């Protein structure tokens, strides 16, 4: 059996092993609360795929069915007293694939307001709602509502302790983002996998650090705010591409792998033009051109270390926006932006270096104990797994 055929078998096996639980995506909805004294306006948005959960047959709920489900689970209280609906709830126009409902509440007073959201938590315990709250003083806050606390106190909305936190708190947030992000960890595994020498590893880590530091700063300061769903999909694509590079080098057929990668992305762009999928066609076409050229170049260079510095810089730009999403879910005090950026970035570096050194250390110890398999076998299995998992996440995030 040829090397390429073996890799394809490994890829199929790894794809069959991948499960939704392994992905970084989650069940989610979005809410925008505008507080105008004792009156509270709510726009609640949810994807069609999430809305289907409320129907016994899994079908698309009608307007009346969706309102009937949401109305008793959304609300506002003032000093413990439930606020009444000031107008009948109604559905508004929404982006393709989404549903959006409007609610308006009239409270007896504006004291001790609490925003309530109990929707979908009984169906998916890990569901989260990304809430945006425009408060009476004009302040804007972003917060997460989860099953553990299905509501927000307006006095504390966005008040998560960051105003008084020190730099060590932000370092901790950066470390935990790496340790809890399975997709970022998978990408780091790919960086170790393509680095056959210490010098190669230094090049790729340096490029990745420069890239994510730049876009992390741009996103947190508000200069650039890309769509989070696009970034999640592109993060998954970087994982698949790191694995695909290993496949092309190991099989000696970069042209074949490049054609497959570029062709699949072009096919997704064509589907999007027909209305199937979420990612913009131009983004998919650009990804196809970049992916095919990246695999072709890396597959034909004997020493691709310096090229990988540039490539991982590009990958770092994408992951930097993913890192920023973790911060943007919390209210960021403007007076602490510099401290937040430095601390969080240092934490990310500590986290990724810990994982890289841990993986390298395990390999060295196993090699000394003579418990390792030949490197080509290990590289082939890991590469197939990365391609499978990255592709699985990318497709899931591109169509859902």
């Amino acid at each position: 059996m040829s090397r390429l055929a073996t890799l394809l078998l490994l890829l199929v096996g790894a794809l069959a092993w991948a499960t939704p639980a392994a992905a970084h995506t989650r069940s989610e909805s979005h809410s925008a609360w505008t507080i105008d004294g004792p009156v509270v306006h709510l726009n609640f948005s949810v994807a069609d795929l999430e809305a289907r959960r409320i129907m016994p047959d899994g079908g698309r709920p009608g307007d009346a069915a969706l309102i009937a489900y949401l109305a008793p689970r959304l609300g506002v209280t003032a000093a413990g007293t439930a606020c009444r609906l000031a107008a009948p709830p109604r559905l508004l126009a929404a982006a393709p694939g989404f549903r959006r409902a409007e609610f308006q509440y009239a409270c007896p007073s504006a004291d001790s307001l609490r925003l309530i959201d109990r929707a979908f938590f009984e169906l998916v315990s890990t569901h989260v709602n990304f809430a945006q709250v425009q408060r009476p003083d004009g302040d804007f806050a972003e917060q997460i509502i989860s099953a553990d606390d299905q509501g927000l106190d307006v006095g504390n909305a966005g008040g998560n302790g960051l105003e008084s936190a020190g730099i060590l708190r932000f370092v901790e947030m950066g470390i935990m983002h790496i340790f809890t992000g399975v997709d970022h960890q998978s990408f780091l595994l790919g960086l170790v996998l393509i680095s056959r020498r210490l010098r190669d590893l230094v090049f790729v880590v340096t490029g990745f650090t420069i890239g994510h530091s730049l876009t992390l700063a741009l996103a947190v300061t508000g200069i650039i705010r890309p769509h989070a769903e696009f970034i999640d999909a592109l993060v998954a694509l970087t994982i698949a591409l790191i694995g695909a590079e290993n496949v092309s080098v190991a099989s000696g057929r970069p042209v074949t792998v490049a054609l497959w990668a570029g062709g699949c992305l072009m096919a997704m762009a064509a589907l999007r033009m027909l209305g199937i999928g979420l990612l913009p066609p131009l983004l998919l076409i650009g990804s196809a051109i970049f992916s095919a050229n990246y695999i072709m170049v890396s597959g034909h260079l004997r020493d691709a270390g310096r090229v990988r510095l540039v490539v991982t810089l590009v990958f770092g730009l994408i992951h930097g926006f993913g890192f920023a999403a973790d911060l943007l879910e919390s209210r960021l005090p403007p007076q602490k932006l510099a401290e937040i950026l430095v601390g969080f970035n240092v934490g990310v570096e500590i986290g990724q270096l810990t994982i890289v050194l841990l993986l390298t250390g395990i390999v060295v110890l196993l090699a000394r104990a003579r418990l390792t398999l030949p490197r080509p076998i290990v590289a082939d299995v890991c590469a197939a797994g990365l391609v499978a998992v990255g592709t699985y996440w990318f497709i899931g995030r591109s169509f859902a």
Side-chain angles (χ1 to χ4, degrees), residues 11-279:
L11 176 59
V12 172
L15 186 57
W17 163 83
T19 64
H24 194 60
T25 54
R26 50 193 163 192
S27 171
E28 63 183 50
S29 56
H30 298 260
S31 59
W33 308 76
T34 303
I35 300 171
D36 184 12
V39 177
V40 179
H41 301 266
L42 165 63
N43 276 345
F44 187 93
S45 301
V46 64
D48 269 334
L49 290 176
E50 293 291 336
R52 291 174 182 270
R53 298 181 189 274
I54 71 174
M55 302 299 291
D57 61 355
R60 187 177 189 271
D63 293 355
L66 184 58
I67 291 293
Y69 173 80
L70 292 176
R73 292 171 174 82
L74 302 173
V76 184
T77 62
T81 302
C83 303
R84 64 178 179 83
L85 279 169
R90 61 185 183 128
L91 289 186
L92 304 177
F98 286 83
R99 311 288 292 279
R100 185 160 65 104
E102 181 186 57
F103 298 82
Q104 181 174 325
Y105 302 93
C107 301
S109 71
D111 298 330
S112 303
L113 293 179
R114 180 171 174 79
L115 314 178
I116 307 297
D117 174 16
R118 300 190 181 95
F120 298 100
F121 293 113
E122 81 278 12
L123 302 175
V124 184
S125 61
T126 56
H127 181 83
V128 294
N129 177 270
F130 294 95
Q132 298 178 336
V133 183
Q134 185 77 37
R135 297 196 283 179
D137 57 2
D139 197 5
F140 181 81
E142 294 179 321
Q143 188 58 282
I144 291 179
I145 300 176
S146 66
D148 296 332
D149 187 7
Q150 299 174 16
L152 291 176
D153 294 320
V154 171
N156 298 324
N160 47 20
L162 294 185
E163 292 85 352
S164 58
I167 192 169
L168 292 180
R169 167 63 176 145
F170 306 127
V171 172
E172 178 189 357
M173 290 174 64
I175 294 173
M176 293 308 299
H177 184 81
I178 292 294
F179 286 172
T180 58
V182 180
D183 43 9
H184 296 304
Q185 293 180 26
S186 300
F187 183 78
L188 291 174
L189 171 62
L191 294 185
V192 174
L193 191 63
I194 65 175
S195 305
R196 289 174 168 79
R197 298 168 299 181
L198 179 60
R199 186 180 70 173
D200 295 339
L201 188 58
V202 170
F203 277 134
V204 297
V205 171
T206 299
F208 185 66
T209 298
I210 294 172
H212 76 66
S213 299
L214 178 60
T215 47
L216 176 62
L218 292 174
V220 170
T221 55
I223 297 175
I224 298 178
R225 287 287 178 88
H227 290 278
E229 62 271 25
F230 298 169
I231 296 302
D232 279 345
L234 291 178
V235 166
L237 180 61
T238 64
I239 297 169
L241 288 179
I242 286 289
E245 179 189 349
N246 282 275
V247 171
S248 69
V249 172
S251 64
R253 297 183 180 180
V255 176
T256 302
V257 178
L259 288 175
W260 269 101
C264 289
L265 288 167
M266 284 293 188
M268 290 179 65
L271 289 175
R272 184 64 186 91
M273 292 177 184
L274 296 175
I276 302 174
L278 298 178
L279 300 184

Side-chain angles (χ1 to χ4, degrees), residues 7 11 193 239-240 242-244 246-247 378-388:
L7 287 170
L11 176 59
L193 191 63
I239 297 169
I242 286 289
N246 282 275
V247 171
V378 176
D380 289 353
V381 172
C382 291
L386 289 174
V387 174

